[in-house]
Amino acid sequence: MIQATSVVFDYSLSGAILAAAVLGHFGLWIWLYNRINASGFKRKTIKRTEKAFVLSCGLIPLGILLIELRFHGATSIIESGSFWAKLSVVTKSYSVIVILFAIAVAPFWILDRPQFAISKNRFELMESEDLSQLQHPESNAALYIQGSGFRRMAKLPGNQIVSMQRNRKRLLIDSLPDDLDGLRIAHLSDVHLTGQLSTSFYRLAIDWLSDQSPDLIVISGDIVDYESALQQIQPVFDGLSAPLGTYFILGNHEKRLPVPTDVCDEFCAMNWTDLGVSNAIARKGNTVIQLMGNELPWFQRHPTRSEAEPAIETHERAWRLGVSHSPDQFAWGIANRCKLLLCGHTHGGQIRFPVIGPVLVPSRYGARYASGVFSKGETLMHVSRGISGVHPYRWGCMPEASILELAARG
Ligand SMILES: [Fe+2]
C-alpha cells in the first residue's frame, strides 16, 4: 500500500515537473517572438529570427523526445514511478531553465492580462456594433475578399477578418480645456492595404467614421504593405475630412515598400498632414492642440524625435495629442506631456483566448498593451485593434474603427 502511494506520488511529481517545463518552453519562445517583433531591426532580420524561434519551439521538444527514446525507450521511462529521475542531463537542464524562466515571468504575465492592465475607470463604451453584420450578414467573404489566401481562411469557423466593429468611446481626460469637451476624434489604425481585401471592406469603416462628423481624424500607421496597393489609397480614403484636420504616421509595415514615403505623397496630395516629419497645430476656440507623431523604432523621419528625450518644441501651453504606431512608446507620450496618445500595431493580438486573452503580441511589454485604454499620470493611451492585417485570421478580436469623444474627468 505504502509502495503504491509512493509510486502515485512519484508519477504526480514527475508529471507536474514535466507540465511546468512544457509551459515554460512555450512561454519562453512566445516571449522571444513578441520582443523580436517589437524591435527596430531590419524587417528581413526580424522575419528570419522569428522563423528561427518558431522552428526552435517545435524542434526542441522533438529533439528531446528522440534523445530520451534513444537512450531509455518509452516503456523503460514510463515503468519507473519517478520518470523525471531517469531523464537525460540535457532534458533536465533545459527543463530547469524553462521552469525558472516561467517562475520569473509568471507574475508579470498575469498582471499584463487585459482585465488587470486596462484603465476601466478612464473610458465608457458608448456604442459597439459589427458594421459588416449590420449591412451584409451572410456574404462578407464574397463581398469583401479579393485574394484567394484570405478567402480560404475566412471559411474557418469564427474567423473575424471581414468583420468590422464600430465603437464610440468616451475618454475621461484630466484637466480637459472647456473648448475640447466633446471633441470627437476618429482613430483608425493598421489599415494594411495588401490587395487581399476590397475597397468596399475598408469603406465600411471610412463611411461610418465620416457619418460621425469627427473634429479630427488620425491614422496611427501600417497603411500599405505592397507597392501595388498604393493605388487603393485614393478610393479607400476619398472624401474623408474633418474641420481640425486629417493626420497620419507610418508603421513598421511601410518598411516593406521600396519607397515608404510614396504613402506620404499619396496622403499629402489629399491634404492629409504627415506627423512623421513635423508636429502640427490645430485650434479649437482658444485652445491650441499640438499633434506629435512617433514612428520609432522603425522610422526616424522627424529631426528631433528620440525615445530618450522629450521633444517639446513650441507651444508650451498647448494641449498635446501624440500619435505613435507602437504602444511601446507610452513613456515617450508621458515624457512629452501628451494628454492622449493614439497607437496601433498590436492588432489586439489577433487571437484572444477565453479568460487569458491575447498571447502573441508584438510588444516589448507582451500582451499588456494589446488594445484598449491605458493610463499613467495624466496621459491616456488608446490602442486600436486596427481594421485589417496581413495574417488572414482573427478570433475573438474583431477589426475596429473608433470614434473617441473627449470628456473632462471628475
Ligand atoms: Fe499592423
Side-chain angles (χ1 to χ4, degrees):
M1 180 67 185
I2 291 169
Q3 198 185 355
T5 313
S6 158
V7 169
V8 169
F9 177 77
D10 284 345
Y11 263 127
S12 308
L13 187 64
S14 294
I17 294 171
L18 201 64
V22 169
L23 219 61
H25 166 76
F26 284 104
L28 172 67
W29 292 103
I30 288 170
W31 190 92
L32 290 168
Y33 178 97
N34 287 342
R35 269 77 192 167
I36 190 69
N37 276 289
S39 73
F41 296 131
K42 282 185 177 166
R43 190 172 169 83
K44 255 186 194 166
T45 312
I46 292 174
K47 290 295 137 189
R48 278 183 192 152
T49 316
E50 182 189 297
K51 270 184 197 147
F53 287 169
V54 172
L55 273 176
S56 304
C57 187
L59 291 181
I60 288 174
L62 195 66
I64 283 175
L65 190 68
L66 290 176
I67 290 172
E68 296 308 327
L69 290 176
R70 170 87 177 77
F71 286 104
H72 308 289
T75 7
S76 157
I77 296 174
I78 293 163
E79 268 171 4
S80 162
S82 175
F83 58 84
W84 167 255
K86 296 190 87 181
L87 297 175
S88 69
V89 178
V90 175
T91 306
K92 280 182 182 166
S93 306
Y94 182 72
S95 300
V96 167
I97 290 168
V98 293
I99 287 171
L100 287 176
F101 171 82
I103 292 169
V105 303
F108 302 102
W109 189 87
I110 292 167
L111 286 173
D112 286 344
R113 294 302 90 204
Q115 53 270 50
F116 302 122
I118 286 174
S119 297
K120 298 183 192 76
N121 60 343
R122 298 296 300 271
F123 77 100
E124 293 166 38
L125 187 60
M126 312 295 290
E127 181 188 336
S128 177
E129 254 169 320
D130 180 359
L131 276 171
S132 62
Q133 291 299 313
L134 288 175
Q135 296 186 14
H136 305 286
E138 297 303 325
S139 50
N140 290 351
L143 272 171
Y144 301 136
I145 301 178
Q146 302 177 151
S148 54
F150 268 53
R151 191 168 290 131
R152 270 195 302 275
M153 289 295 286
K155 289 178 186 156
L156 293 177
N159 194 346
Q160 298 173 314
I161 47 172
V162 281
S163 298
M164 180 66 75
Q165 187 181 66
R166 70 179 185 197
N167 55 46
R168 211 154 50 80
K169 298 171 188 174
R170 178 172 293 153
L171 302 184
L172 305 175
I173 310 279
D174 282 324
S175 323
L176 186 71
D178 288 346
D179 288 328
L180 304 188
D181 196 14
L183 189 90
R184 291 157 79 85
I185 302 171
H187 182 198
L188 263 183
S189 197
D190 298 83
V191 181
H192 288 285
L193 297 178
T194 59
Q196 288 285 330
L197 295 172
S198 67
T199 297
S200 56
F201 171 75
Y202 297 106
R203 290 299 308 194
L204 282 172
I206 303 297
D207 292 342
W208 177 70
L209 290 174
S210 221
D211 289 348
Q212 297 301 303
S213 309
D215 293 295
L216 62 89
I217 299 167
V218 171
I219 305 179
S220 49
D222 273 7
I223 305 167
V224 178
D225 278 78
Y226 304 121
E227 200 176 14
S228 57
L230 284 166
Q231 60 189 9
Q232 220 178 346
I233 292 178
Q234 213 277 334
V236 165
F237 292 96
D238 186 39
L240 191 58
S241 65
L244 300 188
T246 46
Y247 306 88
F248 72 94
I249 58 166
L250 301 182
N252 56 316
H253 278 248
E254 270 78 28
K255 281 272 182 191
R256 305 175 89 180
L257 298 170
V259 185
T261 50
D262 280 351
V263 177
C264 309
D265 294 342
E266 293 282 337
F267 274 91
C268 291
M270 295 189 296
N271 283 326
W272 285 61
T273 303
D274 183 353
L275 291 178
V277 287
S278 61
N279 296 346
I281 292 294
R283 286 185 171 81
K284 181 98 195 295
N286 292 321
T287 302
V288 174
I289 303 171
Q290 185 176 27
L291 293 107
M292 311 170 76
N294 182 331
E295 298 169 336
L296 292 170
W298 302 288
F299 292 100
Q300 198 154 7
R301 297 186 296 136
H302 191 291
T304 60
R305 192 64 76 238
S306 123
E307 202 169 330
E309 291 173 34
I312 295 168
E313 288 144 23
T314 52
H315 299 284
E316 270 297 321
R317 297 180 62 192
W319 191 87
R320 291 207 177 91
L321 172 59
V323 184
S324 166
H325 183 55
S326 172
D328 289 1
Q329 299 297 319
F330 197 9
W332 168 84
I334 296 163
N336 280 285
R337 303 203 302 275
C338 292
K339 298 293 186 194
L340 181 60
L341 181 65
L342 304 179
C343 308
H345 180 57
T346 45
H347 298 202
Q350 297 224 170
I351 299 174
R352 293 188 163 227
F353 296 95
V355 186
I356 62 168
V359 174
L360 286 176
V361 183
S363 163
R364 72 167 85 132
Y365 301 101
R368 188 190 303 174
Y369 301 134
S371 67
V373 177
F374 307 88
S375 65
K376 198 163 187 188
E378 290 204 334
T379 303
L380 207 63
M381 176 168 73
H382 180 254
V383 184
S384 168
R385 294 194 300 269
I387 60 171
S388 187
V390 290
H391 302 296
Y393 51 78
R394 276 185 185 251
W395 279 283
C397 192
M398 232 184 261
E400 70 171 340
S402 305
I403 289 286
L404 309 173
E405 279 181 20
L406 307 191
R409 186 186 183 207

mmCIF file with all atom_site columns, all heavy atoms in Angstrom, residues 209-222:
data_model
loop_
_atom_site.group_PDB
_atom_site.id
_atom_site.type_symbol
_atom_site.label_atom_id
_atom_site.label_alt_id
_atom_site.label_comp_id
_atom_site.label_asym_id
_atom_site.label_entity_id
_atom_site.label_seq_id
_atom_site.pdbx_PDB_ins_code
_atom_site.Cartn_x
_atom_site.Cartn_y
_atom_site.Cartn_z
_atom_site.occupancy
_atom_site.B_iso_or_equiv
_atom_site.pdbx_formal_charge
_atom_site.auth_seq_id
_atom_site.auth_comp_id
_atom_site.auth_asym_id
_atom_site.auth_atom_id
_atom_site.pdbx_PDB_model_num
ATOM 1   N N   . LEU A 1 209 ? -17.158 56.403 -40.142 1.00 0.00 ? 209 LEU A N   1
ATOM 2   C CA  . LEU A 1 209 ? -16.422 57.489 -39.465 1.00 0.00 ? 209 LEU A CA  1
ATOM 3   C C   . LEU A 1 209 ? -16.849 58.840 -40.037 1.00 0.00 ? 209 LEU A C   1
ATOM 4   O O   . LEU A 1 209 ? -17.041 59.807 -39.300 1.00 0.00 ? 209 LEU A O   1
ATOM 5   C CB  . LEU A 1 209 ? -14.911 57.304 -39.639 1.00 0.00 ? 209 LEU A CB  1
ATOM 6   C CG  . LEU A 1 209 ? -14.278 56.130 -38.880 1.00 0.00 ? 209 LEU A CG  1
ATOM 7   C CD1 . LEU A 1 209 ? -12.810 55.983 -39.251 1.00 0.00 ? 209 LEU A CD1 1
ATOM 8   C CD2 . LEU A 1 209 ? -14.405 56.306 -37.371 1.00 0.00 ? 209 LEU A CD2 1
ATOM 9   N N   . SER A 1 210 ? -16.997 58.904 -41.345 1.00 0.00 ? 210 SER A N   1
ATOM 10  C CA  . SER A 1 210 ? -17.404 60.142 -41.999 1.00 0.00 ? 210 SER A CA  1
ATOM 11  C C   . SER A 1 210 ? -18.779 60.596 -41.502 1.00 0.00 ? 210 SER A C   1
ATOM 12  O O   . SER A 1 210 ? -18.994 61.775 -41.209 1.00 0.00 ? 210 SER A O   1
ATOM 13  C CB  . SER A 1 210 ? -17.461 59.890 -43.504 1.00 0.00 ? 210 SER A CB  1
ATOM 14  O OG  . SER A 1 210 ? -16.946 60.964 -44.182 1.00 0.00 ? 210 SER A OG  1
ATOM 15  N N   . ASP A 1 211 ? -19.695 59.642 -41.376 1.00 0.00 ? 211 ASP A N   1
ATOM 16  C CA  . ASP A 1 211 ? -21.054 59.953 -40.899 1.00 0.00 ? 211 ASP A CA  1
ATOM 17  C C   . ASP A 1 211 ? -21.064 60.499 -39.477 1.00 0.00 ? 211 ASP A C   1
ATOM 18  O O   . ASP A 1 211 ? -22.003 61.165 -39.061 1.00 0.00 ? 211 ASP A O   1
ATOM 19  C CB  . ASP A 1 211 ? -21.938 58.691 -40.928 1.00 0.00 ? 211 ASP A CB  1
ATOM 20  C CG  . ASP A 1 211 ? -22.278 58.278 -42.343 1.00 0.00 ? 211 ASP A CG  1
ATOM 21  O OD1 . ASP A 1 211 ? -22.037 59.079 -43.265 1.00 0.00 ? 211 ASP A OD1 1
ATOM 22  O OD2 . ASP A 1 211 ? -22.762 57.137 -42.531 1.00 0.00 ? 211 ASP A OD2 1
ATOM 23  N N   . GLN A 1 212 ? -20.029 60.171 -38.709 1.00 0.00 ? 212 GLN A N   1
ATOM 24  C CA  . GLN A 1 212 ? -19.970 60.607 -37.306 1.00 0.00 ? 212 GLN A CA  1
ATOM 25  C C   . GLN A 1 212 ? -19.497 62.055 -37.164 1.00 0.00 ? 212 GLN A C   1
ATOM 26  O O   . GLN A 1 212 ? -19.399 62.574 -36.059 1.00 0.00 ? 212 GLN A O   1
ATOM 27  C CB  . GLN A 1 212 ? -19.022 59.693 -36.511 1.00 0.00 ? 212 GLN A CB  1
ATOM 28  C CG  . GLN A 1 212 ? -19.454 58.239 -36.441 1.00 0.00 ? 212 GLN A CG  1
ATOM 29  C CD  . GLN A 1 212 ? -20.820 58.079 -35.806 1.00 0.00 ? 212 GLN A CD  1
ATOM 30  O OE1 . GLN A 1 212 ? -21.046 58.504 -34.680 1.00 0.00 ? 212 GLN A OE1 1
ATOM 31  N NE2 . GLN A 1 212 ? -21.741 57.484 -36.539 1.00 0.00 ? 212 GLN A NE2 1
ATOM 32  N N   . SER A 1 213 ? -19.166 62.703 -38.280 1.00 0.00 ? 213 SER A N   1
ATOM 33  C CA  . SER A 1 213 ? -18.664 64.085 -38.283 1.00 0.00 ? 213 SER A CA  1
ATOM 34  C C   . SER A 1 213 ? -17.580 64.325 -37.238 1.00 0.00 ? 213 SER A C   1
ATOM 35  O O   . SER A 1 213 ? -17.743 65.148 -36.329 1.00 0.00 ? 213 SER A O   1
ATOM 36  C CB  . SER A 1 213 ? -19.810 65.070 -38.036 1.00 0.00 ? 213 SER A CB  1
ATOM 37  O OG  . SER A 1 213 ? -20.866 64.818 -38.903 1.00 0.00 ? 213 SER A OG  1
ATOM 38  N N   . PRO A 1 214 ? -16.457 63.615 -37.331 1.00 0.00 ? 214 PRO A N   1
ATOM 39  C CA  . PRO A 1 214 ? -15.390 63.826 -36.345 1.00 0.00 ? 214 PRO A CA  1
ATOM 40  C C   . PRO A 1 214 ? -14.750 65.200 -36.492 1.00 0.00 ? 214 PRO A C   1
ATOM 41  O O   . PRO A 1 214 ? -14.754 65.780 -37.585 1.00 0.00 ? 214 PRO A O   1
ATOM 42  C CB  . PRO A 1 214 ? -14.368 62.720 -36.696 1.00 0.00 ? 214 PRO A CB  1
ATOM 43  C CG  . PRO A 1 214 ? -14.628 62.393 -38.126 1.00 0.00 ? 214 PRO A CG  1
ATOM 44  C CD  . PRO A 1 214 ? -16.089 62.630 -38.370 1.00 0.00 ? 214 PRO A CD  1
ATOM 45  N N   . ASP A 1 215 ? -14.191 65.716 -35.387 1.00 0.00 ? 215 ASP A N   1
ATOM 46  C CA  . ASP A 1 215 ? -13.491 67.008 -35.437 1.00 0.00 ? 215 ASP A CA  1
ATOM 47  C C   . ASP A 1 215 ? -12.111 66.842 -36.052 1.00 0.00 ? 215 ASP A C   1
ATOM 48  O O   . ASP A 1 215 ? -11.610 67.734 -36.711 1.00 0.00 ? 215 ASP A O   1
ATOM 49  C CB  . ASP A 1 215 ? -13.364 67.586 -34.024 1.00 0.00 ? 215 ASP A CB  1
ATOM 50  C CG  . ASP A 1 215 ? -14.710 67.961 -33.460 1.00 0.00 ? 215 ASP A CG  1
ATOM 51  O OD1 . ASP A 1 215 ? -15.333 68.876 -34.008 1.00 0.00 ? 215 ASP A OD1 1
ATOM 52  O OD2 . ASP A 1 215 ? -15.150 67.314 -32.483 1.00 0.00 ? 215 ASP A OD2 1
ATOM 53  N N   . LEU A 1 216 ? -11.474 65.717 -35.762 1.00 0.00 ? 216 LEU A N   1
ATOM 54  C CA  . LEU A 1 216 ? -10.196 65.428 -36.428 1.00 0.00 ? 216 LEU A CA  1
ATOM 55  C C   . LEU A 1 216 ? -10.032 63.925 -36.612 1.00 0.00 ? 216 LEU A C   1
ATOM 56  O O   . LEU A 1 216 ? -10.668 63.134 -35.917 1.00 0.00 ? 216 LEU A O   1
ATOM 57  C CB  . LEU A 1 216 ? -9.008  66.085 -35.715 1.00 0.00 ? 216 LEU A CB  1
ATOM 58  C CG  . LEU A 1 216 ? -8.618  65.753 -34.293 1.00 0.00 ? 216 LEU A CG  1
ATOM 59  C CD1 . LEU A 1 216 ? -7.660  64.590 -34.266 1.00 0.00 ? 216 LEU A CD1 1
ATOM 60  C CD2 . LEU A 1 216 ? -7.941  66.973 -33.677 1.00 0.00 ? 216 LEU A CD2 1
ATOM 61  N N   . ILE A 1 217 ? -9.173  63.574 -37.559 1.00 0.00 ? 217 ILE A N   1
ATOM 62  C CA  . ILE A 1 217 ? -9.016  62.159 -37.935 1.00 0.00 ? 217 ILE A CA  1
ATOM 63  C C   . ILE A 1 217 ? -7.544  61.777 -37.876 1.00 0.00 ? 217 ILE A C   1
ATOM 64  O O   . ILE A 1 217 ? -6.682  62.538 -38.337 1.00 0.00 ? 217 ILE A O   1
ATOM 65  C CB  . ILE A 1 217 ? -9.566  61.916 -39.362 1.00 0.00 ? 217 ILE A CB  1
ATOM 66  C CG1 . ILE A 1 217 ? -11.063 62.257 -39.411 1.00 0.00 ? 217 ILE A CG1 1
ATOM 67  C CG2 . ILE A 1 217 ? -9.343  60.461 -39.797 1.00 0.00 ? 217 ILE A CG2 1
ATOM 68  C CD1 . ILE A 1 217 ? -11.646 62.349 -40.804 1.00 0.00 ? 217 ILE A CD1 1
ATOM 69  N N   . VAL A 1 218 ? -7.260  60.619 -37.287 1.00 0.00 ? 218 VAL A N   1
ATOM 70  C CA  . VAL A 1 218 ? -5.871  60.185 -37.119 1.00 0.00 ? 218 VAL A CA  1
ATOM 71  C C   . VAL A 1 218 ? -5.726  58.739 -37.579 1.00 0.00 ? 218 VAL A C   1
ATOM 72  O O   . VAL A 1 218 ? -6.532  57.876 -37.218 1.00 0.00 ? 218 VAL A O   1
ATOM 73  C CB  . VAL A 1 218 ? -5.463  60.283 -35.626 1.00 0.00 ? 218 VAL A CB  1
ATOM 74  C CG1 . VAL A 1 218 ? -4.110  59.637 -35.393 1.00 0.00 ? 218 VAL A CG1 1
ATOM 75  C CG2 . VAL A 1 218 ? -5.447  61.737 -35.167 1.00 0.00 ? 218 VAL A CG2 1
ATOM 76  N N   . ILE A 1 219 ? -4.670  58.466 -38.358 1.00 0.00 ? 219 ILE A N   1
ATOM 77  C CA  . ILE A 1 219 ? -4.300  57.074 -38.685 1.00 0.00 ? 219 ILE A CA  1
ATOM 78  C C   . ILE A 1 219 ? -2.944  56.807 -38.050 1.00 0.00 ? 219 ILE A C   1
ATOM 79  O O   . ILE A 1 219 ? -1.971  57.517 -38.321 1.00 0.00 ? 219 ILE A O   1
ATOM 80  C CB  . ILE A 1 219 ? -4.185  56.819 -40.199 1.00 0.00 ? 219 ILE A CB  1
ATOM 81  C CG1 . ILE A 1 219 ? -5.474  57.217 -40.919 1.00 0.00 ? 219 ILE A CG1 1
ATOM 82  C CG2 . ILE A 1 219 ? -3.886  55.343 -40.466 1.00 0.00 ? 219 ILE A CG2 1
ATOM 83  C CD1 . ILE A 1 219 ? -5.392  56.999 -42.432 1.00 0.00 ? 219 ILE A CD1 1
ATOM 84  N N   . SER A 1 220 ? -2.878  55.754 -37.227 1.00 0.00 ? 220 SER A N   1
ATOM 85  C CA  . SER A 1 220 ? -1.627  55.512 -36.488 1.00 0.00 ? 220 SER A CA  1
ATOM 86  C C   . SER A 1 220 ? -0.763  54.410 -37.121 1.00 0.00 ? 220 SER A C   1
ATOM 87  O O   . SER A 1 220 ? -0.256  53.527 -36.429 1.00 0.00 ? 220 SER A O   1
ATOM 88  C CB  . SER A 1 220 ? -1.929  55.222 -35.011 1.00 0.00 ? 220 SER A CB  1
ATOM 89  O OG  . SER A 1 220 ? -2.941  54.258 -34.866 1.00 0.00 ? 220 SER A OG  1
ATOM 90  N N   . GLY A 1 221 ? -0.590  54.466 -38.448 1.00 0.00 ? 221 GLY A N   1
ATOM 91  C CA  . GLY A 1 221 ? 0.434   53.636 -39.098 1.00 0.00 ? 221 GLY A CA  1
ATOM 92  C C   . GLY A 1 221 ? -0.006  52.305 -39.661 1.00 0.00 ? 221 GLY A C   1
ATOM 93  O O   . GLY A 1 221 ? -1.137  51.856 -39.447 1.00 0.00 ? 221 GLY A O   1
ATOM 94  N N   . ASP A 1 222 ? 0.913   51.669 -40.415 1.00 0.00 ? 222 ASP A N   1
ATOM 95  C CA  . ASP A 1 222 ? 0.643   50.425 -41.150 1.00 0.00 ? 222 ASP A CA  1
ATOM 96  C C   . ASP A 1 222 ? -0.528  50.614 -42.106 1.00 0.00 ? 222 ASP A C   1
ATOM 97  O O   . ASP A 1 222 ? -1.588  49.994 -41.972 1.00 0.00 ? 222 ASP A O   1
ATOM 98  C CB  . ASP A 1 222 ? 0.337   49.265 -40.187 1.00 0.00 ? 222 ASP A CB  1
ATOM 99  C CG  . ASP A 1 222 ? 1.604   48.556 -39.712 1.00 0.00 ? 222 ASP A CG  1
ATOM 100 O OD1 . ASP A 1 222 ? 2.709   49.038 -40.024 1.00 0.00 ? 222 ASP A OD1 1
ATOM 101 O OD2 . ASP A 1 222 ? 1.477   47.524 -39.024 1.00 0.00 ? 222 ASP A OD2 1
#
